[in-house]
Amino acid sequence: MTLARPKLSNSQPQSANEVAFGFVRSLADELSAGRVDLPSFPEVVIRVRRILSDPNSTLEKVVRVVGSEPALAARLMRISNSASLNITGKAITDLRTAINRMGYNMVRSASMTFAMAQIRGNAKLLSVKPYLDELWERSTLVAAFSFVVARACSKINPDEAMLTGMMHAIGKLYILTRVADHPELFGDTNALHQIIEDWHAEIGKAILENWEFSYEVVKAVANQNDIGRDGEDLQIPDLSDIIVVANLMASFATDPVALQVAMDGVPAVFRLRLNEKKTAGIMSEFAAEVSALRSALGR
């Protein structure tokens, strides 16, 4: 993958331009070489991802891999017993039943949130902890909204939508872990934010391709900032539409008026058949479920 020179304003000192360009070039070199190495990314999560992607894997194999990491197993148990999944109120006490109830896509989401929690706890990343904490909050909110929007407005698998919502900012996470080695970038937070906004979707796409995520998930992460995405071949809502709308809902979760303004004229909103009344209903009716999902994911 080739990344172009970052579009920094002319008012910034040349040194800031050089630092930013050098940083983006280093990211491009790493990605081109396939060196996607998130610090503190647990080996068990890599093994979970691989076994879930294997068409010949069995539930027993998944249970053995997940069970090898007690903290991850405990997270899955908590999610399986959350209000959004445990409709009967009968608590699950064994990992096999928990994974079977959750489904593989939700297991992937839980594994990734576990990995992100490990990254947040890395002492070497203390300088970017406020950014990582903000990213965590945002990712769990987008994931929860993705789940409820997919279920309420489309035929898309809600678990896959939640997984995509959780992964939508993986490019930002990757950039932030690298920024920790370039403290000089903190001297111009505008430049740093611009690098993140300009490149996170493309970097996220490259990471998920390396991790062999499905085409639809990769496409949704790549398209997340294209709120005007439209065309004659786009008639039925897809995963990309879910992420666009979930992002808008996350941005204006406490301001329904601003949300309606932001959603006006967005093709994804039209394809999902969302109007002001239905949107307001989702935001209020599913508020408790969104909160429960975020807590279960490890908020």
Side-chain angles (χ1 to χ4, degrees):
M1 183 182 73
T2 301
L3 298 182
R5 184 185 180 105
K7 299 173 290 185
L8 302 177
S9 70
N10 293 330
S11 62
Q12 293 172 322
Q14 184 60 35
S15 59
N17 279 320
E18 291 172 349
V19 168
F21 176 68
F23 178 64
V24 170
R25 185 171 57 189
S26 70
L27 292 177
D29 290 343
E30 292 168 6
L31 291 167
S32 296
R35 297 195 304 271
V36 181
D37 181 25
L38 286 168
S40 298
F41 199 86
E43 174 64 26
V44 66
V45 175
I46 296 174
R47 287 191 284 123
V48 168
R49 179 181 58 80
R50 286 174 180 165
I51 198 168
L52 292 179
S53 299
D54 181 359
N56 297 317
S57 67
T58 64
L59 179 58
E60 285 68 28
K61 289 181 180 178
V62 177
V63 171
R64 282 200 299 271
V65 172
V66 172
S68 69
E69 174 48 69
L72 175 57
R75 184 183 292 268
L76 297 192
M77 294 296 295
R78 184 171 69 249
I79 293 176
S80 69
N81 284 306
S82 65
S84 59
L85 291 183
N86 188 9
I87 300 175
T88 65
K90 184 178 179 180
I92 287 177
T93 58
D94 68 285
L95 187 57
R96 187 182 190 281
T97 304
I99 292 174
N100 195 44
R101 171 185 280 183
M102 293 173 63
Y104 283 1
N105 277 322
M106 192 169 286
V107 170
R108 286 189 183 94
S109 295
S111 298
M112 289 299 175
T113 60
F114 174 78
M116 291 171 71
Q118 301 303 302
I119 293 171
R120 288 170 67 206
N122 187 339
K124 294 181 180 179
L125 300 178
L126 188 61
S127 61
V128 295
K129 190 176 187 304
Y131 294 91
L132 294 175
D133 288 345
E134 181 180 352
L135 183 61
W136 175 270
E137 292 290 321
R138 174 75 180 200
S139 294
T140 58
L141 185 56
V142 172
F145 275 126
S146 297
F147 182 90
V148 298
V149 170
R151 192 173 62 183
C153 305
S154 77
K155 296 181 179 180
I156 294 167
N157 186 318
D159 295 339
E160 183 178 31
M162 184 169 69
L163 171 64
T164 309
M166 203 67 226
M167 292 293 97
H168 88 285
I170 194 70
K172 292 183 179 181
L173 178 62
Y174 186 83
I175 292 170
L176 287 173
T177 62
R178 289 296 179 264
V179 167
D181 295 326
H182 298 270
E184 64 274 16
L185 279 172
F186 290 111
D188 190 335
T189 56
N190 289 332
L192 175 57
H193 288 154
Q194 190 166 4
I195 289 171
I196 292 173
E197 289 307 309
D198 284 349
W199 299 116
H200 80 92
E202 190 171 354
I203 290 172
K205 174 178 179 289
I207 292 171
L208 296 185
E209 285 176 337
N210 274 347
W211 288 353
E212 299 178 350
F213 272 69
S214 72
Y215 169 76
E216 288 300 322
V217 172
V218 172
K219 184 177 71 170
V221 170
N223 290 335
Q224 63 182 284
N225 295 327
D226 187 7
I227 64 172
R229 188 179 67 102
D230 207 357
E232 293 182 0
D233 60 329
L234 295 172
Q235 303 296 328
I236 300 173
D238 60 10
L239 198 52
S240 296
D241 292 330
I242 299 292
I243 298 304
V244 165
V245 169
N247 256 318
L248 290 173
M249 288 180 169
S251 294
F252 303 101
T254 60
D255 191 340
V257 175
L259 175 60
Q260 288 303 322
V261 172
M263 293 176 69
D264 186 42
V266 175
V269 175
F270 175 78
R271 284 190 289 271
L272 288 164
R273 299 181 181 276
L274 281 168
N275 53 34
E276 184 173 354
K277 182 178 180 180
K278 190 171 183 179
T279 300
I282 289 174
M283 298 298 286
S284 59
E285 181 181 349
F286 294 107
E289 185 167 4
V290 167
S291 179
L293 282 168
R294 294 184 76 194
S295 296
L297 286 170
R299 179 182 174 220

